[in-house]
């Protein structure tokens, strides 16, 4: 009789843990099938999860690499100035995970990582993650950030690829530059892109 309640409690706990593990595995399976690269890092910027697309990007010497140190891995850019920017945006997202609410997703500007070989550049965006998002079963309530990696060569029109490779333009800046080169004025560009003319002027100043 004394052992019975504890045994039942242990069985219930085991069933609950198995259910959570199945849910976590299902989430990771979906993330592995995503067409974009995804790296999830903890509060110390250590890699907790990396999907297959991100692994391919890092293995192909495209400007990103996974550095191992003492059993831990970190995501780094191979070029020092770009790595400094990458670490800065990841750090900002980790701070955002601790301070921002998630009723409205925060806006983050992507950065461009140039390839170490002849491959096209990558567009990298870091966003804070809710601490309770069930990616890792053993450490659920921690500060984390998600790093999204996309190949611009695969997704941008040829003219826009040139803008990114030569000048590091964002996607929005590529669209504005393309429209201006076609002879359109700021008001026409704003109408074409369905944004305020003041937004176009801001992009023009950035160009």
């Amino acid at each position: 009789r004394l052992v019975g309640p504890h045994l039942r409690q242990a069985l219930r706990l085991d069933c609950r843990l198995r259910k959570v593990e199945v849910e976590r595995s299902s989430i990771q399976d979906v993330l592995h099938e995503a067409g974009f690269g995804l790296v999830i890092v903890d509060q110390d910027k250590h890699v907790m999860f990396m999907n297959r697309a991100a692994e391919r990007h890092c293995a192909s010497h495209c400007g990103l690499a996974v550095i191992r140190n003492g059993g831990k891995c970190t995501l780094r850019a191979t070029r020092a100035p770009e790595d400094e920017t990458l670490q800065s945006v990841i750090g900002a997202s980790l701070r955002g995970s601790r301070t921002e609410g998630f009723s409205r997703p925060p806006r983050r500007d992507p950065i461009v990582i140039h390839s170490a070989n002849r491959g096209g550049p990558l567009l990298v965006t870091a966003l804070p993650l809710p601490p309770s998002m069930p990616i890792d079963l053993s450490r659920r309530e921690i500060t984390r950030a998600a790093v999204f990696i996309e190949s611009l060569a695969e997704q941008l029109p040829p003219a826009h690829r040139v803008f990114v490779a030569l000048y590091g333009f964002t996607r929005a800046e590529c669209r504005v530059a393309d429209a201006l080169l076609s002879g359109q004025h700021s008001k026409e560009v704003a109408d074409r892109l369905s944004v305020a003319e003041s937004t176009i002027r801001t992009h023009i100043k950035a160009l």
Side-chain angles (χ1 to χ4, degrees):
R1 281 184 208 149
L2 294 176
V3 177
H6 297 289
L7 181 58
R8 287 193 294 272
Q9 180 65 21
L11 289 173
R12 284 196 293 268
L13 180 60
D14 180 68
C15 289
R16 183 177 178 184
L17 288 174
R18 288 175 184 271
K19 180 180 179 182
V20 173
E21 179 64 26
V22 169
E23 292 175 351
R24 183 177 71 95
S25 298
S26 298
I27 292 173
Q28 292 187 357
D29 287 343
V30 171
L31 295 178
H32 275 305
E33 296 302 320
F36 54 83
L38 173 64
V39 180
I40 296 177
V41 299
D42 66 14
Q43 56 196 3
D44 298 315
K45 299 183 181 179
H46 295 145
V47 175
M48 299 175 62
F49 172 82
M50 176 180 288
N51 73 353
R52 295 188 186 99
E55 290 173 353
R56 288 194 296 270
H57 285 309
C58 292
S60 61
H61 306 289
C62 60
L64 291 174
V66 175
I67 306 300
R68 299 181 183 276
N69 185 12
K72 300 291 185 180
C73 299
T74 55
L75 181 68
R76 309 299 295 262
T78 54
R79 297 185 179 189
E82 293 180 347
D83 186 58
E84 183 178 350
T85 303
L86 176 63
Q87 301 310 315
S88 176
V89 298
I90 292 176
S93 293
L94 289 169
R95 290 191 294 274
S97 179
R98 290 191 291 266
T99 61
E100 293 180 356
F102 289 89
S103 57
R104 176 181 299 178
R107 181 176 178 178
R108 292 286 186 270
D109 293 326
I111 62 173
V112 177
I113 301 295
H114 292 86
S115 176
N117 52 34
R118 293 185 179 181
L122 298 174
L123 188 69
V124 177
T125 308
L127 294 172
L129 283 179
S132 59
M133 187 173 178
I135 296 296
D136 181 50
L137 178 63
S138 62
R139 303 169 63 195
R140 297 185 60 143
E141 297 293 332
I142 63 172
T143 300
R144 288 171 295 193
V147 182
F148 296 90
I149 307 167
E150 298 177 89
S151 173
L152 288 176
E154 295 175 358
Q155 298 192 11
L156 289 179
H160 292 194
R161 296 174 198 170
V162 174
F163 294 149
V164 172
L166 294 180
Y167 308 112
F169 286 179
T170 66
R171 292 189 184 191
E173 289 170 348
C174 285
R175 290 193 292 269
V176 172
D178 195 26
L180 292 173
L181 287 174
S182 68
Q184 297 182 15
H185 298 292
S186 58
K187 179 67 168 60
E188 295 172 309
V189 177
D191 292 340
R192 173 181 170 182
L193 300 180
S194 301
V195 297
E197 188 176 1
S198 59
T199 301
I200 300 301
R201 292 199 188 99
T202 299
H203 283 308
I204 292 173
K205 289 180 182 178
L207 300 178

